[in-house]
Amino acid sequence: MNPIVIVGSGLAGYNVARELRKLDKETPLTLISADSAQFYSKPMLSSALGSGKAPEAIAMNTAEQMNAQLNATIRAHVRVTAIEPAQHAVHLYQETLHYSKLVLALGADQIRLTIAGNAAERVMTVNDLTDYTQFRATIAGKESIAIIGGGLIGCEFANDLTSGGFKVSVIDIAPQPLSRLLPPAGAAMMQSKLAALGVEWRLGTSVTSIDSAGEKLRLTLANGETFEVDVVLSAVGLRPRIALAQAAGLKTNRGIVVARSLATSDPDVYALGDCAEVAGLVLPYVMPIMHSARALAATLAGKPTAVSYPAMPVLVKTPACPTIVSPPAAEAKGEWIVTADAEGVKSLYQDVTGKLLGFALNGKATAERATLTPQLPPVLS
Ligand SMILES: Cc1cc2nc3c(=O)[nH]c(=O)nc-3n(C[C@H](O)[C@H](O)[C@H](O)COP(=O)(O)OP(=O)(O)OC[C@H]3O[C@@H](n4cnc5c(N)ncnc54)[C@H](O)[C@@H]3O)c2cc1C
């Protein structure tokens, strides 16, 4: 019998394997990963530098340990180069593997902006444990870091690196941090709390070029300002990895298009996690992965199950300004009602009848998360 093959050893790949093993201990399972297939929690990458955590302290299990835990064949450092759905086959470098069912858990790439200058290629990104290892080695003994992007990941790195003693500046094209997640009052609190830690904000502008300046990097901004730093980190968003699926003729859009069954346009190929677009939604967070993994495992174990998502607030890991967000759906019609004092900002997104459609809580207002979350509509019912 051909195995179920999972491609990807991130939270999506490993969680679907774990959930499957709770229901079915025997069906042969192969997990293929382009990386070392160590099990780790990716959200730690933007909150572990400040405390000096080594990559080994972040990785929770080796590929061998996961092999034993999951009764699976785990193949690390092996890249899938093509998929042939009609043959139920995936191609590796010099090998073809046949599957009964295929699960794509390929993740997403950090978007790289096009920036001019002779040192633009020195911009770093942190999207996995290998990146973290390289970034940690690069910043050792350095003083100043520019972060391009003041979104969730940029703000988390800014808080973490400042706590670690680095001089951090954040550049964002928007006039405020977290522009996709926070209304202005909440963003202002994030901005001032991180500024109080030492973060320098350069908002409403962008980086046009990066050039070498001796050991340093000189950034030129669209507003004409120039300044020098030791290291530049980019955190401007993610792009689902769709190329493999696209080349195989599977339907793709922003992500690999899947129905609520998590099946792609081929009924024996599934996708979940950062690479997937589930019923039109691309949700690159941990909670949607956990719900998807449970539903897909049930389907793979023989009980077809559609995924549903409750409201899933996201914690922004900025201890200087505790923040929890549950953004309204793109098509939601309402307005932000904001109450603020020196210690917190509560932003509620409500429709004309007062129904709660989303929220953003900063500072002491985060204490209201437990009472507000049950009032939110499900993300996918
Ligand atoms: C710094 C950072 C902080 C974050 N913090 C939070 C947070 O606080 N809360 C939250 O909810 N979310 C957070 N996220 C998002 C969350 O971590 C991701 O949604 C989640 O980890 C994605 O898991 P994944 O398995 O889909 O993808 P990934 O972890 O990217 O895994 C993809 C896997 O696919 C493999 N792969 C890709 N292509 C191939 C191929 N061709 N052949 C073989 N293998 C392949 C890769 O090697 C990798 O093993 C954060 C993300 C980052 C980057």
Side-chain angles (χ1 to χ4, degrees), residues 73-367:
T73 304
I74 296 179
R75 302 194 48 185
H77 302 295
V78 174
R79 185 168 283 280
V80 171
T81 54
I83 307 166
E84 274 190 280
Q87 310 303 322
H88 281 62
V90 290
H91 296 283
L92 315 179
Y93 177 50
Q94 282 181 323
E95 195 186 337
T96 299
L97 200 69
H98 287 90
Y99 59 81
S100 54
K101 308 272 184 200
L102 179 66
V103 176
L104 301 177
L106 302 166
D109 287 314
Q110 291 267 2
I111 293 172
R112 290 190 75 96
L113 300 175
T114 307
I115 296 174
N118 65 17
E121 80 288 352
R122 284 171 58 189
V123 172
M124 304 189 77
T125 56
V126 176
N127 191 30
D128 57 32
L129 214 43
T130 307
D131 294 342
Y132 179 87
T133 307
Q134 282 164 359
F135 185 66
R136 187 167 175 268
T138 304
I139 63 174
K142 302 285 188 346
E143 287 173 359
S144 54
I145 300 171
I147 299 175
I148 307 176
L152 181 139
I153 293 176
C155 283
E156 291 184 354
F157 274 116
N159 196 148
D160 191 41
L161 291 165
T162 313
S163 318
F166 293 93
K167 181 171 179 295
V168 173
S169 76
V170 181
I171 306 111
D172 198 300
I173 189 105
Q176 62 165 67
L178 285 159
S179 55
R180 290 197 202 128
L181 296 173
L182 289 182
M189 181 167 181
M190 176 68 75
Q191 188 176 336
S192 71
K193 291 288 181 187
L194 290 186
L197 270 192
V199 173
E200 283 177 10
W201 293 98
R202 291 175 161 93
L203 298 169
T205 189
S206 55
V207 180
T208 54
S209 64
I210 303 176
D211 292 281
S212 306
E215 294 281 286
K216 300 252 179 195
L217 298 170
R218 182 182 306 118
L219 281 73
T220 304
L221 306 186
N223 64 9
E225 187 190 353
T226 62
F227 65 104
E228 292 180 3
V229 294
D230 295 314
V231 180
V232 181
L233 177 70
S234 173
V236 295
L238 294 168
R239 184 174 290 130
R241 293 186 178 125
I242 62 170
L244 209 51
Q246 213 167 25
L250 300 172
K251 191 169 174 208
T252 59
N253 184 37
R254 259 185 76 203
I256 302 171
V257 171
V258 294
R260 289 187 51 193
S261 63
L262 301 169
T264 65
S265 50
D266 182 287
D268 287 332
V269 182
Y270 300 85
L272 81 165
D274 283 9
C275 67
E277 181 174 323
V278 184
L281 301 170
V282 175
L283 300 171
Y285 300 109
V286 174
M287 285 313 291
I289 290 177
M290 305 315 245
H291 290 281
S292 298
R294 277 195 289 276
L296 181 52
T299 300
L300 294 172
K303 187 174 171 230
T305 303
V307 70
S308 47
Y309 297 138
M312 299 172 288
V314 177
L315 175 74
V316 185
K317 303 184 295 299
T318 44
C321 181
T323 296
I324 297 170
V325 291
S326 188
E331 69 283 0
K333 296 246 177 312
E335 60 173 334
W336 286 106
I337 313 290
V338 179
T339 35
D341 60 28
E343 290 170 60
V345 180
K346 177 166 79 170
S347 308
L348 303 181
Y349 193 84
Q350 295 175 334
D351 71 9
V352 280
T353 68
K355 184 170 166 32
L356 187 66
L357 301 176
F359 65 64
L361 308 172
N362 306 90
K364 75 162 198 238
T366 54

Side-chain angles (χ1 to χ4, degrees), residues 16-33:
V16 78
R18 278 186 163 158
E19 293 296 332
L20 178 63
R21 279 298 181 241
K22 289 181 192 165
L23 306 171
D24 169 352
K25 304 215 178 326
E26 299 306 329
T27 299
L29 183 61
T30 298
L31 191 142
I32 301 169
S33 179

